[in-house]
Amino acid sequence: MDKNIDQLCVDTIRMLALDTVQKATSGHPGMPLGAAPMAYTLFGREMRYNPENPRWFNRDRFLLSAGHGSALLYALLHLFGFEQMTLQELKRFRQWESATPGHPEYEPDYGVETTTGPLGQGFATGIGVAIAEANLAARYNRRGYNIIDHYTYAIVSDGDLMEGVASEGASLAGHLKLGKLIYLYDDNKISLSGETLIAFTEDVRKRFESYGWQVIQVEDGNDLAALYAAVEEAKGDTHHPSLVMVSTHIGYGTPVQDTFEAHGNPLKAEQLAETKKFYGWPPDQPFHIPEEALSHFRKRVKEGKKAENAWQELFQEYSNAHPSEARELSGMMEGSLPEGWDEGLPVFDPDPKGVATRKAGGQVLNALAGNIPSLVGGSADLDPSTNTALKGMGSFQPEGQCPAECQGLVDGPLDYRGRNIAFGVREHTMAAIMNGVALHGGLIPFGATFFVFSDYLKPSLRIGCISRCHNVYVFTHDSVGVGEDGPTHQPVEHLAALRAVPRLTVIRPADANETREAWKLALLRRGGPTALVLSRQNVPIFDRTQYSGAEGISRGGYVMAEASEGEAELIILATGSEVHLALEAHRLLNDEGIRVRVVNLASWEIFEEQDEEYKNMVLPPTLTRRVSIEAGATLGWHKYVGVSGEAIGIDRFGASAPGGEALANLGISVDNLVSRAK
Amino acid sequence: MDKNIDQLCVDTIRMLALDTVQKATSGHPGMPLGAAPMAYTLFGREMRYNPENPRWFNRDRFLLSAGHGSALLYALLHLFGFEQMTLQELKRFRQWESATPGHPEYEPDYGVETTTGPLGQGFATGIGVAIAEANLAARYNRRGYNIIDHYTYAIVSDGDLMEGVASEGASLAGHLKLGKLIYLYDDNKISLSGETLIAFTEDVRKRFESYGWQVIQVEDGNDLAALYAAVEEAKGDTHHPSLVMVSTHIGYGTPVQDTFEAHGNPLKAEQLAETKKFYGWPPDQPFHIPEEALSHFRKRVKEGKKAENAWQELFQEYSNAHPSEARELSGMMEGSLPEGWDEGLPVFDPDPKGVATRKAGGQVLNALAGNIPSLVGGSADLDPSTNTALKGMGSFQPEGQCPAECQGLVDGPLDYRGRNIAFGVREHTMAAIMNGVALHGGLIPFGATFFVFSDYLKPSLRIGCISRCHNVYVFTHDSVGVGEDGPTHQPVEHLAALRAVPRLTVIRPADANETREAWKLALLRRGGPTALVLSRQNVPIFDRTQYSGAEGISRGGYVMAEASEGEAELIILATGSEVHLALEAHRLLNDEGIRVRVVNLASWEIFEEQDEEYKNMVLPPTLTRRVSIEAGATLGWHKYVGVSGEAIGIDRFGASAPGGEALANLGISVDNLVSRAK
């Protein structure tokens, strides 16, 4: 070998990634071959991390937004010494239950920081990671103790830059002046179906400058010195996020270099042979790793350990100097809720006029935020409507940028200490940023918008579910009860859509007190996000001496009212704002001697988790006369009402009219419920 | 009055819109007050349209992307003489079944060109309108006969520009050099929750220049001369879309001018009085329209009629000179399918190995496109995978921009005549553009992506459903059968999500011949879009001498195989790629003497449209032993299998593994079906 050691390492990454794809006979060889030098620059020189403890809290984060290049990531992690990313796992690329799925899936023990593949997601998620870093640093660092102090890197592709979620995020990141966010753009001019010339000819540099980013050009993506200099320059500007545009060659060194054929399919045998020859690699030794290269890669293990040790010492000193901050931050880093986190939450008195659950939710959220320092979030420009402003907790803004008028409904610091995040009218990137905040750790993000706009953020919500992020979505304005804003603003199909998403818990509380309980569940439940679905309109606050307690929703569904005498002959099921209709029907029917039970099925997912005994107690299999009422699509309800039961719902678009009128005209009324129950 | 007539007209629009909101005690007064001058410039001077025939094909189109300003649109339409937009309807603003819903809903007879409200949608939809115009013009205009020749205008807001769908669209529109697309940006620095300073500080001019737009500034949004000059300048550049940035004052003339309080709530009584005073308007005459203003507005009626008449004459001459083009175009403008549109479609021979329905779909689509000149479309950079390239039909590109390599998988013209649209990796704007193409008329758009990415475009799909657009979504890679690409690329919850959407028809054909029938249904069904859900993997092509014919899916569900002797005692229901598993289980169970019927439930929506007799024939109510199998979420299936039935499906995320293995490991197999059927 007469190559220098860095070049040898770069080529080792390339050949290992290539062999990984070839072994699977499935995957994307083109991107790793083109982007290996920039990846090596990051993992080999720039980034601070400890392969022996991939979860070290203050590590630099790396996101592979171009997730189809997963073989590159796995090769890097193996070579740089992440122990769980074994060579065996690389050989099981894209196989059942391997550590090396086709696209990266969040698994911090392997060193995989986020789930990517759907384009644009990694780009926007990284912004959330950087926001978490900036917020924690501003709140917890003290003079001489930069406890939280790391960079967030990503490799992004043409496809990422074309996606709207990335545009939204880029605009916000520029506004927020996230100087420690550094993205390397793998600018190879090729996408899945051909040259980017066919659909993507914008001036990327100018576009990112318009957002307030620093843009740096690297003319030759194989030039390691230039790559290093560019990343150093990016680091030098601490007031702007950086986009390093790197001109690369997809499938570099293969006979299909610079064509879309290099993108998404393994090489043919003769192409592989030619490529190995180009790199001077042994033709018949797949997964060959030169000793010299390996020992060079593994030097980073020692360096990483040293870096973490130094940080641990610093944290120890910080704990002595600032014990209360250290204690609080430690709890947050562990992801635990502080003692007393659910104390002093509002208790709402019975009130037939009642209150909108969005409003009750706002009060509960504010009380919780006072108890739980990790809770941060905001809305997609809807604070006055979603009631999600955290009063007195400031706005997450670059220091000195915003005048006092910027505070909107909040008070408090107008700098990175602010716990309210103004996402702008950008639902999609909001949800991706929530993923990033949650994955960074230390913070629990919430994000609010109108329920109908859950559509805008669904792709990121889905990634949040795959990654088991502890996110709380606050979806207000939850049915045609929205009223005059009309069908474009009235969710109909959205409950069904979200109930079908794995790992997501959907809770639609019926009154103010259930809203409190729902928020508690959202904070307690791990393993996936929770969506709180709240009403725009007032709903009665129930008298719980008359009905079962609001904490019943912790089992997902519960018997809220029983037949006044004897065994029930009919079950009415309802959720959210329709529960009070069910209870009113219950009263009327009982008066007529019809024995009715009312079941509040606030969360199907939680109910399904209960044991059979409980479920059969709530919904006795022998009691087959059932009616459900919910102001949304009936899809899914027959699981609970049966083929012979009746599901009252709305299987059409709503209409612009005052909310009560819209509901009544669409059959969501006590009258209709009573007549159909009979 | 000492105002000049134009100013009087502008103020008439303002006061009429304001009274409209006040009467409803609901709505958005701020935007109409700020944007009335630019709207008047368009409707009063620039635009060509005929209020007496709002459907005139060659009219200029106007889209109010800032749909919350609907009162402005309704006031304009009334004042400029659109007969169905009566004063009475304005007084019924936001009331049940009025012509004036809270946000505009597509209704061409009223002059409402599209459904808006969810931000960004109108912006991106307009691009589709402009694409339709450019494509039809390039294909059908002849020297001296500019039959298709109109502009597309929109008023867009801060919120529109923040949304990702608009960014995607703006980049594509710049690439496509849509010179007849002219957007006026109502730049008022205020959004729902406060000043845009809080989240939106990008350099909008520079951003749009980076996309290849012409950007023009109007410093004073009340300056009619400047507005006119700006729009004229925009028209002058025929090679770039134009963004006219107009500095305005939200709630102009009210005491809450320039604050977010002017955005979304009616004025208080004293604020209203002050405002009327500011404009010199009679304080106690709501809906006051000065005679002088009205007669000035209504001059446009005569002008519009004249313009249409001239066009009708031109079209008559064109018909004489170019009879075949005129005949073809006339049919397209009417929205009818040409005679013989379904002739010569591929018929697929039985084949146990079979073919992927995406691949069969590509063949059918190409045959249809040969018969139906109105069919245009493309994919979000996935042509090689979705099989949706129209061979020989060119790529819709600005003339002279793209070298031959741009053609990807197609041949044919590389200019606006191209019928393949390269959307780039931009699913969301693709779907919004489809809406625009469909609403323009003359063309039937299709758009393709992986089924899992239907999430990315859902908000526009929903608008397409509200607007009853004749769109065809081609969603390939329809289950965990996708295989190695893993859970990020494997749809699970998407069938349930789309089945819940009103007015959308979802069809999941089981083999190549059903795919042909599904495409035919997609073209025949009006009143809403159709989604074709197609497999990545091969599925057998059934021998229809052995099973019922593929045209059975025209009833949504049909009995595909009966018990070999006697009456069935069990029904197996399946869709798409699981139908062949059901048929195999049918064979095995029949061999064991278990009498099984197989029902193919390819489209739930179409099945539900059938009469009760047919439905009961397919699914006899007395036959309650039922098992369904579908490689997706089980949500919704209990409507057909009942509480006692069994729904086999996948209620978790998939996994990266070869497709067959992923399916089998997740229980989608003949073995599992047989054992659970028993």
Short mmCIF file of all heavy atoms in Angstrom, two decimals, chain A residues 94 103 119 163-164 168 171 175 193 198 201-202 210 381 397 406 427 455-456 458 462 485 493, chain B residues 94 103 119 163-164 168 171 175 193 198 201-203 210 381 397 406 427 455-456 458 462 485 493:
data_model
loop_
_atom_site.label_atom_id
_atom_site.label_comp_id
_atom_site.label_asym_id
_atom_site.label_seq_id
_atom_site.Cartn_x
_atom_site.Cartn_y
_atom_site.Cartn_z
N ARG A 94 -29.70 -5.82 6.49
CA ARG A 94 -31.05 -5.92 5.92
C ARG A 94 -31.70 -7.28 6.17
O ARG A 94 -32.61 -7.67 5.42
CB ARG A 94 -31.02 -5.62 4.41
CG ARG A 94 -30.57 -4.20 4.11
CD ARG A 94 -30.63 -3.85 2.63
NE ARG A 94 -30.85 -2.41 2.49
CZ ARG A 94 -31.81 -1.86 1.78
NH1 ARG A 94 -32.64 -2.60 1.09
NH2 ARG A 94 -31.95 -0.56 1.73
N HIS A 103 -32.65 0.90 6.48
CA HIS A 103 -32.45 2.31 6.82
C HIS A 103 -32.19 2.38 8.32
O HIS A 103 -32.72 1.57 9.07
CB HIS A 103 -33.67 3.13 6.41
CG HIS A 103 -33.87 3.21 4.93
ND1 HIS A 103 -34.53 2.22 4.22
CD2 HIS A 103 -33.46 4.12 4.00
CE1 HIS A 103 -34.53 2.53 2.92
NE2 HIS A 103 -33.89 3.66 2.75
N LEU A 119 -37.02 10.95 3.29
CA LEU A 119 -36.10 12.08 3.11
C LEU A 119 -36.60 13.34 3.83
O LEU A 119 -37.77 13.55 4.01
CB LEU A 119 -35.84 12.31 1.63
CG LEU A 119 -35.00 11.17 1.02
CD1 LEU A 119 -34.99 11.23 -0.50
CD2 LEU A 119 -33.57 11.20 1.56
N GLU A 163 -37.24 18.19 0.11
CA GLU A 163 -38.42 17.95 0.94
C GLU A 163 -38.81 19.21 1.72
O GLU A 163 -37.96 19.88 2.31
CB GLU A 163 -38.15 16.82 1.94
CG GLU A 163 -38.08 15.44 1.31
CD GLU A 163 -39.44 14.88 0.90
OE1 GLU A 163 -40.47 15.57 1.04
OE2 GLU A 163 -39.46 13.73 0.43
N GLY A 164 -40.09 19.46 1.80
CA GLY A 164 -40.61 20.62 2.51
C GLY A 164 -40.22 20.66 3.97
O GLY A 164 -39.96 21.73 4.52
N GLU A 168 -38.69 23.98 5.85
CA GLU A 168 -39.25 24.59 7.06
C GLU A 168 -38.20 24.65 8.15
O GLU A 168 -38.02 25.66 8.83
CB GLU A 168 -40.43 23.75 7.58
CG GLU A 168 -41.64 23.69 6.68
CD GLU A 168 -42.76 22.79 7.22
OE1 GLU A 168 -42.61 22.26 8.34
OE2 GLU A 168 -43.78 22.63 6.54
N SER A 171 -35.30 27.20 7.53
CA SER A 171 -35.70 28.58 7.79
C SER A 171 -35.70 28.86 9.30
O SER A 171 -35.22 29.89 9.76
CB SER A 171 -37.09 28.85 7.19
OG SER A 171 -37.53 30.14 7.51
N HIS A 175 -33.24 31.31 11.56
CA HIS A 175 -33.82 32.29 12.49
C HIS A 175 -33.23 32.12 13.88
O HIS A 175 -32.91 33.10 14.55
CB HIS A 175 -35.35 32.13 12.53
CG HIS A 175 -35.99 32.88 13.64
ND1 HIS A 175 -36.30 34.23 13.55
CD2 HIS A 175 -36.36 32.50 14.89
CE1 HIS A 175 -36.84 34.64 14.70
NE2 HIS A 175 -36.89 33.61 15.52
N SER A 193 -34.14 8.70 -9.79
CA SER A 193 -34.61 8.44 -11.15
C SER A 193 -33.77 9.13 -12.23
O SER A 193 -34.11 9.07 -13.40
CB SER A 193 -36.08 8.83 -11.28
OG SER A 193 -36.25 10.20 -11.07
N ILE A 198 -33.24 17.43 -13.76
CA ILE A 198 -34.59 17.26 -14.27
C ILE A 198 -35.62 17.96 -13.41
O ILE A 198 -36.73 18.26 -13.85
CB ILE A 198 -34.92 15.75 -14.41
CG1 ILE A 198 -36.12 15.51 -15.31
CG2 ILE A 198 -35.12 15.09 -13.08
CD1 ILE A 198 -36.32 14.06 -15.70
N THR A 201 -32.97 22.57 -9.81
CA THR A 201 -31.93 23.44 -10.36
C THR A 201 -31.83 24.75 -9.59
O THR A 201 -31.24 25.71 -10.06
CB THR A 201 -32.23 23.74 -11.85
OG1 THR A 201 -33.58 24.20 -11.97
CG2 THR A 201 -32.05 22.51 -12.70
N GLU A 202 -32.44 24.80 -8.42
CA GLU A 202 -32.36 26.01 -7.60
C GLU A 202 -30.91 26.29 -7.21
O GLU A 202 -30.05 25.41 -7.26
CB GLU A 202 -33.21 25.83 -6.34
CG GLU A 202 -32.70 24.69 -5.46
CD GLU A 202 -33.51 24.51 -4.19
OE1 GLU A 202 -34.73 24.61 -4.24
OE2 GLU A 202 -32.87 24.26 -3.15
N SER A 210 -30.26 32.78 2.28
CA SER A 210 -31.49 33.55 2.55
C SER A 210 -32.10 33.15 3.89
O SER A 210 -32.78 33.95 4.53
CB SER A 210 -32.51 33.34 1.42
OG SER A 210 -33.24 32.13 1.59
N ASP A 381 -47.50 28.16 15.51
CA ASP A 381 -48.11 29.49 15.42
C ASP A 381 -49.56 29.52 15.88
O ASP A 381 -50.39 30.25 15.33
CB ASP A 381 -48.00 30.02 13.98
CG ASP A 381 -48.36 31.51 13.90
OD1 ASP A 381 -47.94 32.28 14.78
OD2 ASP A 381 -49.08 31.88 12.97
N GLN A 397 -35.11 31.92 21.77
CA GLN A 397 -34.71 32.85 20.70
C GLN A 397 -33.22 33.10 20.81
O GLN A 397 -32.66 33.00 21.91
CB GLN A 397 -35.44 34.19 20.86
CG GLN A 397 -36.95 34.14 20.72
CD GLN A 397 -37.42 33.96 19.27
OE1 GLN A 397 -36.64 34.13 18.34
NE2 GLN A 397 -38.68 33.59 19.11
N CYS A 406 -41.82 40.23 20.86
CA CYS A 406 -41.71 38.85 20.41
C CYS A 406 -42.29 37.87 21.39
O CYS A 406 -42.44 36.69 21.09
CB CYS A 406 -40.25 38.49 20.20
SG CYS A 406 -39.69 38.80 18.54
N GLU A 427 -45.77 22.86 10.83
CA GLU A 427 -46.15 21.69 11.63
C GLU A 427 -45.18 20.53 11.44
O GLU A 427 -44.83 19.83 12.39
CB GLU A 427 -47.56 21.22 11.25
CG GLU A 427 -48.67 22.23 11.48
CD GLU A 427 -48.78 23.25 10.35
OE1 GLU A 427 -48.08 23.11 9.32
OE2 GLU A 427 -49.57 24.21 10.50
N ASP A 455 -52.25 15.89 10.00
CA ASP A 455 -51.84 15.40 8.67
C ASP A 455 -50.50 15.98 8.23
O ASP A 455 -49.70 15.29 7.60
CB ASP A 455 -52.88 15.81 7.62
CG ASP A 455 -54.10 14.91 7.60
OD1 ASP A 455 -54.07 13.84 8.23
OD2 ASP A 455 -55.10 15.30 6.96
N TYR A 456 -50.29 17.26 8.50
CA TYR A 456 -49.08 17.91 8.03
C TYR A 456 -47.82 17.31 8.67
O TYR A 456 -46.74 17.43 8.11
CB TYR A 456 -49.13 19.41 8.35
CG TYR A 456 -49.80 20.30 7.31
CD1 TYR A 456 -51.17 20.33 7.18
CD2 TYR A 456 -49.05 21.13 6.48
CE1 TYR A 456 -51.80 21.16 6.25
CE2 TYR A 456 -49.66 21.96 5.55
CZ TYR A 456 -51.02 21.98 5.43
OH TYR A 456 -51.63 22.80 4.52
N LYS A 458 -47.62 14.13 10.05
CA LYS A 458 -47.68 12.68 10.21
C LYS A 458 -46.37 11.96 9.90
O LYS A 458 -45.99 11.04 10.64
CB LYS A 458 -48.82 12.12 9.35
CG LYS A 458 -48.89 10.61 9.22
CD LYS A 458 -49.17 9.92 10.53
CE LYS A 458 -49.37 8.43 10.44
NZ LYS A 458 -48.77 7.65 9.39
N ARG A 462 -44.71 9.54 12.67
CA ARG A 462 -44.45 8.11 12.45
C ARG A 462 -43.02 7.75 12.84
O ARG A 462 -42.77 6.73 13.48
CB ARG A 462 -44.71 7.77 10.97
CG ARG A 462 -44.60 6.30 10.67
CD ARG A 462 -45.07 5.99 9.25
NE ARG A 462 -45.52 4.61 9.16
CZ ARG A 462 -44.75 3.59 8.77
NH1 ARG A 462 -43.50 3.81 8.42
NH2 ARG A 462 -45.23 2.38 8.73
N ASP A 485 -65.03 27.44 10.95
CA ASP A 485 -63.86 27.35 10.08
C ASP A 485 -64.04 26.31 8.96
O ASP A 485 -63.29 26.32 7.98
CB ASP A 485 -62.59 27.06 10.89
CG ASP A 485 -61.98 28.35 11.45
OD1 ASP A 485 -62.31 29.43 10.94
OD2 ASP A 485 -61.18 28.27 12.39
N GLU A 493 -61.39 12.13 9.81
CA GLU A 493 -60.74 10.82 9.69
C GLU A 493 -59.52 10.67 10.59
O GLU A 493 -58.86 9.62 10.57
CB GLU A 493 -60.33 10.60 8.23
CG GLU A 493 -59.18 11.47 7.71
CD GLU A 493 -59.61 12.83 7.16
OE1 GLU A 493 -60.64 13.36 7.62
OE2 GLU A 493 -58.90 13.36 6.27
N ARG B 94 -70.34 31.69 6.76
CA ARG B 94 -70.00 30.70 7.79
C ARG B 94 -71.23 30.03 8.40
O ARG B 94 -71.17 29.54 9.53
CB ARG B 94 -69.17 31.35 8.91
CG ARG B 94 -67.84 31.87 8.41
CD ARG B 94 -66.95 32.43 9.51
NE ARG B 94 -65.54 32.26 9.12
CZ ARG B 94 -64.62 31.68 9.88
NH1 ARG B 94 -64.91 31.25 11.06
NH2 ARG B 94 -63.38 31.55 9.43
N HIS B 103 -63.75 28.96 5.16
CA HIS B 103 -62.62 28.99 4.22
C HIS B 103 -63.15 28.61 2.85
O HIS B 103 -64.10 27.84 2.75
CB HIS B 103 -61.52 28.03 4.68
CG HIS B 103 -60.86 28.45 5.97
ND1 HIS B 103 -61.38 28.14 7.20
CD2 HIS B 103 -59.76 29.19 6.21
CE1 HIS B 103 -60.62 28.67 8.16
NE2 HIS B 103 -59.61 29.31 7.58
N LEU B 119 -52.67 26.20 5.34
CA LEU B 119 -51.72 27.09 4.67
C LEU B 119 -50.77 26.34 3.75
O LEU B 119 -50.46 25.17 3.94
CB LEU B 119 -50.99 27.92 5.71
CG LEU B 119 -51.93 28.96 6.36
CD1 LEU B 119 -51.32 29.59 7.60
CD2 LEU B 119 -52.33 30.04 5.36
N GLU B 163 -44.83 27.23 5.09
CA GLU B 163 -45.16 25.81 4.94
C GLU B 163 -44.25 25.12 3.93
O GLU B 163 -44.00 25.65 2.83
CB GLU B 163 -46.61 25.66 4.48
CG GLU B 163 -47.65 26.00 5.53
CD GLU B 163 -47.78 24.94 6.63
OE1 GLU B 163 -47.03 23.95 6.62
OE2 GLU B 163 -48.65 25.12 7.50
N GLY B 164 -43.84 23.93 4.25
CA GLY B 164 -42.97 23.16 3.38
C GLY B 164 -43.53 22.90 2.00
O GLY B 164 -42.81 22.90 1.00
N GLU B 168 -41.47 23.49 -1.50
CA GLU B 168 -41.29 22.47 -2.54
C GLU B 168 -41.81 23.00 -3.87
O GLU B 168 -41.16 22.88 -4.92
CB GLU B 168 -42.07 21.20 -2.17
CG GLU B 168 -41.54 20.45 -0.97
CD GLU B 168 -42.41 19.24 -0.61
OE1 GLU B 168 -43.38 18.95 -1.31
OE2 GLU B 168 -42.10 18.59 0.38
N SER B 171 -39.70 25.86 -5.49
CA SER B 171 -38.48 25.38 -6.13
C SER B 171 -38.80 24.76 -7.49
O SER B 171 -38.11 25.02 -8.49
CB SER B 171 -37.79 24.36 -5.22
OG SER B 171 -36.66 23.81 -5.85
N HIS B 175 -37.82 26.06 -11.31
CA HIS B 175 -37.18 25.14 -12.26
C HIS B 175 -37.95 25.10 -13.57
O HIS B 175 -37.36 25.12 -14.66
CB HIS B 175 -37.10 23.74 -11.65
CG HIS B 175 -36.72 22.67 -12.64
ND1 HIS B 175 -35.41 22.43 -12.99
CD2 HIS B 175 -37.47 21.82 -13.37
CE1 HIS B 175 -35.38 21.46 -13.90
NE2 HIS B 175 -36.62 21.07 -14.15
N SER B 193 -50.26 34.19 16.02
CA SER B 193 -49.91 34.32 17.43
C SER B 193 -49.01 35.51 17.73
O SER B 193 -48.57 35.68 18.85
CB SER B 193 -49.27 33.03 17.93
OG SER B 193 -48.08 32.78 17.27
N ILE B 198 -40.93 36.57 15.40
CA ILE B 198 -40.68 35.54 16.41
C ILE B 198 -40.18 34.23 15.78
O ILE B 198 -39.57 33.41 16.45
CB ILE B 198 -41.94 35.31 17.26
CG1 ILE B 198 -41.64 34.58 18.56
CG2 ILE B 198 -43.02 34.60 16.48
CD1 ILE B 198 -42.79 34.56 19.54
N THR B 201 -37.76 35.13 9.90
CA THR B 201 -36.93 36.29 9.61
C THR B 201 -36.04 36.06 8.40
O THR B 201 -35.09 36.79 8.18
CB THR B 201 -36.04 36.64 10.83
OG1 THR B 201 -35.36 35.45 11.25
CG2 THR B 201 -36.88 37.16 11.98
N GLU B 202 -36.34 35.05 7.64
CA GLU B 202 -35.56 34.77 6.45
C GLU B 202 -35.68 35.92 5.45
O GLU B 202 -36.60 36.74 5.52
CB GLU B 202 -36.06 33.48 5.79
CG GLU B 202 -37.51 33.59 5.33
CD GLU B 202 -38.03 32.33 4.64
OE1 GLU B 202 -37.74 31.24 5.14
OE2 GLU B 202 -38.74 32.47 3.64
N ASP B 203 -34.78 35.94 4.50
CA ASP B 203 -34.80 36.94 3.42
C ASP B 203 -35.65 36.36 2.28
O ASP B 203 -35.16 35.61 1.44
CB ASP B 203 -33.36 37.20 2.97
CG ASP B 203 -33.25 38.27 1.89
OD1 ASP B 203 -34.26 38.53 1.19
OD2 ASP B 203 -32.15 38.83 1.74
N SER B 210 -33.46 32.57 -5.34
CA SER B 210 -32.66 31.33 -5.40
C SER B 210 -33.42 30.22 -6.13
O SER B 210 -32.83 29.33 -6.73
CB SER B 210 -32.27 30.86 -4.00
OG SER B 210 -33.31 30.13 -3.36
N ASP B 381 -39.90 11.46 -7.92
CA ASP B 381 -38.55 10.94 -8.17
C ASP B 381 -38.46 9.43 -8.00
O ASP B 381 -37.46 8.91 -7.52
CB ASP B 381 -37.54 11.63 -7.23
CG ASP B 381 -36.10 11.31 -7.63
OD1 ASP B 381 -35.80 11.34 -8.84
OD2 ASP B 381 -35.28 11.02 -6.74
N GLN B 397 -40.82 20.16 -19.34
CA GLN B 397 -39.63 20.94 -18.98
C GLN B 397 -39.68 22.25 -19.75
O GLN B 397 -40.26 22.32 -20.83
CB GLN B 397 -38.36 20.19 -19.39
CG GLN B 397 -38.10 18.88 -18.67
CD GLN B 397 -37.63 19.05 -17.23
OE1 GLN B 397 -37.25 20.14 -16.82
NE2 GLN B 397 -37.69 17.97 -16.47
N CYS B 406 -31.80 14.32 -19.46
CA CYS B 406 -32.91 14.63 -18.57
C CYS B 406 -34.09 13.70 -18.77
O CYS B 406 -35.02 13.70 -17.99
CB CYS B 406 -33.41 16.04 -18.81
SG CYS B 406 -32.59 17.24 -17.77
N GLU B 427 -43.25 15.00 -2.50
CA GLU B 427 -44.55 14.35 -2.54
C GLU B 427 -45.69 15.33 -2.27
O GLU B 427 -46.75 15.26 -2.91
CB GLU B 427 -44.62 13.22 -1.50
CG GLU B 427 -43.60 12.11 -1.69
CD GLU B 427 -42.22 12.45 -1.13
OE1 GLU B 427 -42.07 13.53 -0.49
OE2 GLU B 427 -41.29 11.66 -1.34
N ASP B 455 -48.24 9.52 3.49
CA ASP B 455 -48.26 10.44 4.64
C ASP B 455 -47.79 11.84 4.26
O ASP B 455 -48.31 12.83 4.76
CB ASP B 455 -47.32 9.92 5.74
CG ASP B 455 -47.94 8.82 6.57
OD1 ASP B 455 -49.16 8.61 6.49
OD2 ASP B 455 -47.19 8.16 7.31
N TYR B 456 -46.75 11.89 3.45
CA TYR B 456 -46.16 13.20 3.11
C TYR B 456 -47.15 14.08 2.34
O TYR B 456 -47.02 15.30 2.35
CB TYR B 456 -44.91 13.00 2.24
CG TYR B 456 -43.61 12.81 2.99
CD1 TYR B 456 -43.31 11.61 3.60
CD2 TYR B 456 -42.66 13.83 3.07
CE1 TYR B 456 -42.10 11.42 4.27
CE2 TYR B 456 -41.45 13.65 3.74
CZ TYR B 456 -41.17 12.45 4.33
OH TYR B 456 -39.98 12.27 4.99
N LYS B 458 -50.62 13.73 2.42
CA LYS B 458 -51.99 13.61 2.91
C LYS B 458 -52.74 14.95 2.96
O LYS B 458 -53.92 15.00 2.58
CB LYS B 458 -51.99 12.93 4.28
CG LYS B 458 -53.31 12.93 5.04
CD LYS B 458 -54.41 12.17 4.34
CE LYS B 458 -55.70 12.04 5.10
NZ LYS B 458 -56.11 13.02 6.07
N ARG B 462 -56.26 15.34 1.03
CA ARG B 462 -57.52 15.69 1.70
C ARG B 462 -58.22 16.85 0.98
O ARG B 462 -59.42 16.82 0.76
CB ARG B 462 -57.24 16.06 3.16
CG ARG B 462 -58.49 16.29 3.97
CD ARG B 462 -58.16 16.45 5.46
NE ARG B 462 -59.32 16.09 6.25
CZ ARG B 462 -60.21 16.96 6.73
NH1 ARG B 462 -60.06 18.25 6.50
NH2 ARG B 462 -61.25 16.54 7.43
N ASP B 485 -36.02 -2.65 2.78
CA ASP B 485 -35.95 -1.22 3.10
C ASP B 485 -36.45 -0.92 4.51
O ASP B 485 -36.22 0.17 5.04
CB ASP B 485 -36.73 -0.39 2.06
CG ASP B 485 -35.87 -0.07 0.84
OD1 ASP B 485 -34.62 -0.18 0.95
OD2 ASP B 485 -36.42 0.29 -0.21
N GLU B 493 -50.14 1.29 8.65
CA GLU B 493 -51.39 1.94 9.04
C GLU B 493 -52.06 2.69 7.89
O GLU B 493 -53.12 3.29 8.07
CB GLU B 493 -51.12 2.92 10.19
CG GLU B 493 -50.30 4.17 9.82
CD GLU B 493 -48.79 4.01 9.89
OE1 GLU B 493 -48.31 2.87 9.70
OE2 GLU B 493 -48.08 5.01 10.11
#
